[in-house]
Amino acid sequence: MSASSVVTRFAPSPTGFLHIGGARTALFNLLFARHHGGKFRLRIEDTDKARSTQAAIDAILDGMSWLDLNWDDEVVYQSQRAARHVEVAEALLANGHAYRCYATPEELAELREQQRAARQPLRYDGRWRDREGGPEQEGKPFAVRLRAQTEGETAIDDLVQGRVIVQNSELDDMILLRSDGTPTYMLAVVVDDHDMGVTHVIRGDDHLNNAFRQLGIIKAMGWPEPAYAHIPLIHGSDGAKLSKRHGALGVDAYRDELGMLPEAVNNYLLRLGWGHGDDEIISREQAVEWFDIGGVGRSPSRFDLKKLENLNGHYLREAADDRLAELVAPRVERLIGHAPDRALLARAMPELKPRAKTLDEIADGALFLFAERPLALDDKAAALLDARAQALLGQTRDALAAISEWSGEAIEAAVRQVAESAGIGLGKVAQPLRAALTGRTTSPGIFDVLVLLGREESLVRLGDQSGQAKNVHAHAIEEQ
Ligand code: GLU
């Protein structure tokens, strides 16, 4: 690895789904790495065995592949690296930057109690910092603590937050290895970032305070310091911290429940806190070319589901019809109880997709194609079909039955002819037609509807509603 090559990483703790904020962090890491021709790596921080689950790991990997957030090299699992973390703690003991602390949990609880009573900040008082264990500590459990700098200050030139300074006196001697020998999160992060060659740590600004502690370990080991970029968290549209109510769902919910396309979610997340002039629609390729971490704003961005839906509408219109048919088919199937004709769905897509913002809206718009006869009419559609409209439907049906070729042009000519001879506008014919053919008062253009349904289906649906079917039915009863 050359000294200049950029390595970023996304380091989720698998205690829940891949949420939208995590996905944005991953995206920024990926774009930064790709922009600089470097690597984007993935580390699963699964050291909290009680809270990390395989299901959560799978959800993260799945969400990342769906969003095309492809990482380089193999996934690093933090839990598998405990021996290496211990090794570094021992190296720090050996070089004098760490020490053994034999304080018992009771003693530390007492210390905290005293500090609380005196309204002092709660922090370790360094009671073992300048003291070696004697014979009475033999065989007793100990924690390994960092011998932190007590004087001066630590500055971070954060690529997003600017220069941030902390007085070293504010940082106590944190634990690196617990008395049961397990490494702490602070140690694990630093060791893993170093071993993975991470040059740029891009993560949520809730980790900014940790960076100062982590730097203490990095300096004690004499390792190169990474650059930091702490990005503001995402807030809800009302400015409050993002919660489920605001759309803080797992990315799987954006796919499955909300029916979003991955390119729309990516585009939305990119624009959440970063911008390129007034550009709204930004492809992955452009994002890689344009992304600069300095362009990320310092204030929290507000999540806006409406904007995401609008972007999704844009990407639906751009998407290939076959792909959309494949994505929409299972949604239609859930609504109608059987697998729909995919070829028909794909043929209808040019008319369906401009009218929708989500895959579910496309599925809903496609229902008329697969509706069972006689169609169930919604209230508005039923109200349209009075006696006059029924008569008109009968005439239209006859006119359509007579055309030789079932093409858009021939259909349109026939329907216009009906309107003309009835002395009414085209809309007056189109409305009842739509109601009879789709059961609704909104649908794709009426000629497209007729073409998609085909001659036979169109004619029987019109027959159903034109009074003719009822007559046929009446005859059938009479004949019995
Ligand atoms: N595992 C941490 C989290 O999920 C991130 C740690 C880091 O990026 O340094 O919040």
Side-chain angles (χ1 to χ4, degrees):
M1 192 188 78
S2 79
S4 63
S5 64
V6 162
V7 179
T8 64
R9 63 17 172 219
F10 175 49
S13 306
T15 52
F17 41 59
L18 173 61
H19 59 87
I20 204 80
R24 188 188 58 160
T25 301
L27 175 65
F28 285 6
N29 273 285
L30 171 124
L31 294 177
F32 186 83
R34 298 278 173 266
H35 178 86
H36 291 282
K39 279 189 178 184
F40 166 59
R41 302 199 57 187
L42 175 62
R43 177 171 75 237
I44 303 288
E45 304 211 312
D46 55 347
T47 43
D48 185 346
K49 278 292 164 205
R51 293 175 63 219
S52 307
T53 64
Q54 188 57 45
I57 295 176
D58 292 344
I60 290 169
L61 301 181
D62 182 46
M64 291 186 65
S65 347
W66 180 62
L67 288 173
D68 205 16
L69 297 170
N70 299 319
W71 58 90
D72 299 305
D73 301 344
E74 71 293 349
V75 182
V76 172
Y77 290 89
Q78 194 160 60
S79 63
Q80 291 170 8
R81 296 181 34 84
R84 169 68 179 145
H85 304 146
V86 171
E87 186 180 292
V88 171
E90 281 166 356
L92 287 166
L93 274 177
N95 73 12
H97 283 292
Y99 61 90
R100 295 184 175 81
C101 168
Y102 292 92
T104 62
E106 294 75 29
E107 276 176 64
L108 292 173
E110 196 181 318
L111 171 66
R112 271 196 300 275
E113 217 27 72
Q114 285 166 4
Q115 288 174 334
R116 203 169 281 136
R119 296 185 182 279
Q120 287 167 348
L122 306 185
R123 62 171 76 124
Y124 177 68
D125 60 0
R127 59 183 62 187
W128 283 93
R129 187 176 162 105
D130 300 310
R131 200 175 142 199
E132 291 279 318
E136 65 277 25
Q137 273 77 42
E138 197 75 42
K140 292 261 170 64
F142 60 85
V144 174
R145 285 184 185 268
L146 183 73
R147 198 186 302 276
Q149 296 267 352
T150 52
E151 273 148 36
E153 56 185 33
T154 302
I156 289 180
D157 286 306
D158 192 278
L159 298 173
V160 172
Q161 307 289 334
R163 192 176 187 93
V164 188
I165 294 172
V166 164
Q167 298 305 316
N168 290 336
S169 57
E170 287 174 28
L171 307 170
D172 62 1
D173 288 349
M174 67 176 154
I175 296 181
L176 303 174
L177 283 188
R178 300 184 191 89
S179 54
D180 64 2
T182 57
T184 56
Y185 164 72
M186 287 299 173
L187 177 65
V189 167
V190 167
V191 175
D192 291 348
D193 279 347
H194 172 263
D195 290 0
M196 289 164 75
V198 171
T199 58
H200 291 75
V201 172
I202 303 171
R203 60 186 172 190
D205 66 5
D206 48 336
H207 286 283
L208 180 58
N209 287 334
N210 290 342
F212 291 94
R213 295 180 163 276
Q214 291 165 2
L215 263 180
I217 306 175
I218 293 168
K219 286 179 176 162
M221 285 302 289
W223 286 342
E225 295 175 22
Y228 290 102
H230 287 95
I231 55 185
L233 300 180
I234 301 173
H235 282 196
S237 47
D238 54 3
K241 203 167 172 274
L242 196 64
S243 68
K244 231 179 158 151
R245 168 172 69 88
H246 296 111
L249 309 165
V251 295
D252 54 322
Y254 287 87
R255 176 187 60 199
D256 303 334
E257 286 162 37
L258 300 180
M260 302 287 172
L261 293 179
E263 53 269 45
V265 175
N266 266 310
N267 193 150
Y268 181 70
L269 289 179
L270 174 65
R271 295 280 288 100
L272 204 53
W274 182 86
H276 184 265
D278 291 333
D279 290 321
E280 293 280 353
I281 305 296
I282 303 177
S283 68
R284 170 64 65 83
E285 213 178 19
Q286 290 167 321
V288 166
E289 189 185 328
W290 294 336
F291 188 74
D292 59 329
I293 195 74
V296 175
R298 272 193 220 182
S299 47
S301 11
R302 294 193 177 197
F303 188 82
D304 183 343
L305 195 56
K306 277 271 157 299
K307 266 194 189 158
L308 172 54
E309 280 179 354
N310 286 337
L311 271 175
N312 201 53
H314 167 85
Y315 282 102
L316 287 176
R317 292 191 289 281
E318 303 265 291
D321 296 332
D322 286 343
R323 173 183 172 212
L324 288 180
E326 194 171 322
L327 291 172
V328 167
R331 291 168 194 271
V332 173
E333 183 168 349
R334 274 200 291 281
L335 296 170
I336 64 175
H338 61 88
D341 174 349
R342 254 187 220 197
L344 173 57
L345 206 46
R347 269 204 316 283
M349 214 42 86
E351 315 310 327
L352 296 174
K353 64 188 184 181
R355 318 173 63 84
K357 292 202 166 123
T358 66
L359 293 172
D360 270 345
E361 285 179 15
I362 297 185
D364 181 66
L367 281 183
F368 78 88
L369 293 169
F370 309 105
E372 303 229 345
R373 292 184 41 236
L375 258 58
L377 307 184
D378 71 19
D379 290 346
K380 282 195 210 154
L384 271 177
L385 295 185
D386 55 13
R388 179 141 187 260
Q390 287 182 16
L392 211 47
L393 284 180
Q395 290 164 27
T396 315
R397 187 193 167 283
D398 294 344
L400 286 170
I403 63 179
S404 52
E405 189 205 348
W406 195 255
S407 68
E409 298 80 58
I411 290 169
E412 180 167 352
V415 175
R416 281 188 188 282
Q417 181 62 50
V418 172
E420 241 166 67
S421 28
I424 53 178
L426 183 61
K428 285 269 181 294
V429 185
Q431 272 184 326
L433 265 182
R434 172 172 288 119
L437 292 169
T438 71
R440 300 186 182 182
T441 49
T442 55
S443 78
I446 195 62
F447 307 124
D448 293 318
V449 167
L450 283 156
V451 170
L452 286 165
L453 286 174
R455 179 198 294 266
E456 203 182 323
E457 184 68 20
S458 297
L459 295 183
V460 287
R461 286 191 189 189
L462 292 179
D464 285 344
Q465 306 300 337
S466 65
Q468 295 180 6
K470 281 168 212 148
N471 292 340
V472 171
H473 190 59
H475 287 311
I477 291 173
E478 272 165 27
E479 280 165 20
Q480 266 175 8

